[in-house]
């Protein structure tokens, strides 16, 4: 397996004050997870209705969250990603999205 120097890997941790943080495995630098951000929490709270109302697949829902927060990505933030995916999956099941879409099968 070839090492990609531009690909950063992160690990989840907690700061000494109890905040959820992500630590860069290469540099040791960290950032506070979006899961700690009130605006992110409000958008995630609205995500369920967005998915149900629009039959949004994961890509559409992810793009919507990023648009609402005016950010390009949060996929490296394990805590934020898990919050997003848990809400999306629950809403997708209620919205009766095709099981292949819920399972992440990109052919559908």
């Amino acid at each position: 397996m070839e090492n990609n120097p531009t690909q950063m890997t992160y690990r989840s941790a907690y700061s000494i004050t109890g905040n959820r943080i992500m630590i860069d495995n290469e540099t040791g630098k960290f950032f506070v997870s979006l899961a700690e951000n009130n605006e992110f929490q409000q958008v995630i709270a609205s995500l369920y209705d967005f998915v149900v109302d629009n039959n949004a697949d994961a890509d559409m829902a992810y793009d919507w969250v990023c648009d609402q927060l005016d950010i390009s990505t949060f996929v490296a933030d394990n805590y934020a990603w898990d919050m997003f995916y848990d809400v999306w999956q629950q809403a997708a099941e209620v919205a009766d999205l095709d099981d292949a879409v819920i399972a992440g099968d990109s052919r559908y």
Side-chain angles (χ1 to χ4, degrees), residues 9-87:
T9 57
Y10 296 93
R11 70 182 185 277
S12 305
Y14 289 91
S15 71
I16 59 172
T17 59
N19 287 333
R20 293 168 280 196
I21 61 174
M22 299 300 300
I23 302 174
D24 183 317
N25 289 329
E26 300 296 319
T27 66
K29 294 181 179 181
F30 71 93
F31 63 91
V32 176
S33 171
L34 273 174
E36 299 291 341
N37 179 289
N38 288 335
E39 188 177 359
F40 179 79
Q41 293 170 3
Q42 291 171 354
V43 170
I44 292 299
S46 302
L47 176 62
Y48 187 92
D49 289 335
F50 174 80
V51 172
V52 171
D53 293 346
N54 295 286
N55 291 325
D57 64 12
D59 289 335
M60 182 179 176
Y62 183 84
D63 290 344
W64 180 81
V65 170
C66 288
D67 287 346
Q68 297 300 302
L69 297 169
D70 197 25
I71 60 174
S72 60
T73 187
F74 61 90
V75 74
D77 184 336
N78 294 345
Y79 295 112
W81 173 259
D82 289 347
M83 285 176 71
F84 161 80
Y85 194 80
D86 289 346
V87 171

Side-chain angles (χ1 to χ4, degrees), residues 1-7:
M1 185 171 172
E2 190 174 305
N3 187 12
N4 182 350
T6 61
Q7 180 181 356

